Amino acid sequence: METFQPIFDKKIIENLIPQKHPFVMVDKIYAFAENSMVSGLKISDENIFFDGENFVESGIIEHMAQSIALHKGYDCFLKKEIVPVGFIASLNNIEFFELPKLNDEIKTTVTILFDSGGMTSVEVTTEANEITIAKGELKTILAPQH
């Protein structure tokens, strides 16, 4: 089995998810395993979820969801499959403790609890400056393939 090498190239990341600029909320993969991933995003003043002071809650949720999509996209890349489009099906027990600031690097750990039939349930924890800033559970569902 190959050892995973982190991916910091934004163009590679954008090819692994269906979202495109300016709606891309992930820009790196720190770690990848069959049932987990650590993704990242550097907060810039050009980000559509940056309000001039903070990266807002809806941006964190989108970052979490795109982290799930990135896991699925990288897994599909490894299997030479088409990257599917997915949607947030539900948010459960989402808690926010702090909002990241300009130039903060946020890291989200995705732990897959269930993945079958196009439905994925995950536990997510997002950190900035090594402090947990948000956590919860998300369910995503894949769009039907045509």
Side-chain angles (χ1 to χ4, degrees):
M1 182 181 214
E2 288 185 32
T3 302
F4 176 79
Q5 295 295 314
I7 301 172
F8 300 128
D9 185 322
K10 290 180 185 182
K11 294 213 182 291
I12 292 173
I13 298 296
E14 284 191 30
N15 286 325
L16 297 172
I17 59 173
Q19 295 81 5
K20 300 301 170 216
H21 181 79
F23 207 67
V24 174
M25 298 299 133
V26 289
D27 62 10
K28 53 191 70 75
I29 302 173
Y30 290 101
F32 175 87
E34 183 180 349
N35 292 310
S36 64
M37 168 179 270
V38 179
S39 65
L41 175 69
K42 183 170 184 172
I43 307 305
S44 78
D45 58 0
E46 295 176 2
N47 191 296
I48 61 174
F49 289 110
F50 181 71
D51 70 1
E53 187 175 332
N54 299 302
F55 186 64
V56 298
E57 290 93 340
S58 54
I60 295 171
I61 290 171
E62 186 60 30
H63 168 72
M64 291 171 165
Q66 287 187 26
S67 296
I68 300 164
L70 185 57
H71 183 276
K72 181 65 78 179
Y74 189 68
D75 189 52
C76 286
F77 167 76
L78 293 174
K79 294 175 180 174
K80 297 181 179 13
E81 298 174 353
I82 295 172
V83 176
V85 174
F87 302 94
I88 298 172
S90 70
L91 305 170
N92 297 309
N93 304 316
I94 302 293
E95 297 180 82
F96 299 97
F97 308 107
E98 192 174 313
L99 295 177
K101 308 278 187 221
L102 182 64
N103 295 319
D104 278 353
E105 180 76 33
I106 61 174
K107 290 183 179 180
T108 292
T109 301
V110 171
T111 305
I112 296 174
L113 305 173
F114 173 83
D115 186 11
S116 180
M119 174 76 75
T120 304
S121 177
V122 303
E123 189 174 82
V124 289
T125 302
T126 301
E127 297 180 345
N129 304 312
E130 299 182 24
I131 296 169
T132 298
I133 62 167
K135 67 178 183 176
E137 293 180 22
L138 279 80
K139 287 188 175 98
T140 59
I141 189 162
L142 297 179
Q145 299 286 341
H146 297 293

